[in-house]
Amino acid sequence: MDFHELVTTRKSSRGYNPSAPVPPDVLTRILDAGRLAPSAKNLQPWKFLVITSPEKLDEVRACYDREWFRQAPQILIVKGDRNAAWVRPADSWNSLETDMAIAMDHLVLAAHAEGVATCWISAFDSVLLHKVLQLTPDEEIFAITPLGYASPDTETRPKTRKPLDEVVEYR
Ligand SMILES: Cc1cc2nc3c(=O)[nH]c(=O)nc-3n(C[C@H](O)[C@H](O)[C@H](O)COP(=O)(O)O)c2cc1C
């Protein structure tokens, strides 16, 4: 699959086969793509949490109460440390969310290249997630994704995007 086909066919999956976890070698390749993501000043202010134990899955699932989210056999979380991210001297802008978004995008696209389904999720209960992951005040979760194989009866939404001439300007 070339890159254009990869980004054209990737879609959010909201249905998973609960009994088909992602095998360790596939998971490692996906995680390595996240590791290779660029970040401001190459500070890599992230950790990738792979939630696999039944106890932790139960706790994290409670943070985003959807039937399809409960089906996923694994959950991947990009955790960031605000103190470890780059701060622009001119105006103190902190790169944490940008760095985490790039890492997540690498992870999600790498997953799709392996045939693994994902769905960016930010609408989780942030307070509860901080509690169940025992995060410090400086640690942040920007997005999480289920990991697994899409169930055949998964509801799919058509890929709707603004046309290119609406989002591109040549000056
Ligand atoms: C930052 C971000 C947060 C998102 N949060 C959620 C979410 O909480 N729940 C959900 O079902 N989808 C969520 N999505 C998925 C978007 O709805 C989806 O990417 C968008 O509708 C485009 O569809 P596609 O991913 O299938 O191309 C999120 C996507 C992004 C990039």
Side-chain angles (χ1 to χ4, degrees), residues 43 49 55 106 125 139 146 149:
L43 289 176
L49 311 180
E55 303 76 33
H106 272 52
D125 181 333
E139 290 181 319
Y149 294 93

Side-chain angles (χ1 to χ4, degrees), residues 55-122:
E55 303 76 33
K56 224 19 144 191
L57 279 168
D58 273 353
E59 290 180 348
V60 174
R61 284 169 178 154
C63 302
Y64 187 68
D65 191 15
R66 302 287 187 286
E67 176 56 34
W68 56 267
F69 185 58
R70 274 194 290 278
Q71 295 165 353
Q74 288 131 321
I75 298 171
L76 175 59
I77 298 177
V78 175
K79 181 180 82 162
D81 180 347
R82 188 159 295 284
N83 289 329
W86 181 67
V87 177
R88 186 164 53 204
D91 59 0
S92 300
W93 173 78
N94 185 296
S95 70
L96 185 65
E97 285 81 4
T98 305
D99 294 336
M100 287 198 288
I102 295 168
M104 183 59 112
D105 207 43
H106 272 52
L107 292 160
V108 162
L109 288 174
H112 181 50
E114 299 281 350
V116 172
T118 59
C119 182
W120 283 72
I121 294 170
S122 295

Side-chain angles (χ1 to χ4, degrees), residues 120-132:
W120 283 72
I121 294 170
S122 295
F124 49 80
D125 181 333
S126 172
V127 173
L128 186 57
L129 191 60
H130 271 68
K131 200 170 151 201
V132 303

Side-chain angles (χ1 to χ4, degrees), residues 10-14 64 66 68 119-124 142-143 157 159-161:
R10 186 224 43 89
K11 58 180 185 292
S12 296
S13 184
R14 295 182 181 85
Y64 187 68
R66 302 287 187 286
W68 56 267
C119 182
W120 283 72
I121 294 170
S122 295
F124 49 80
F142 168 73
R157 301 178 186 173
K159 205 175 192 73
T160 54
R161 295 294 190 270

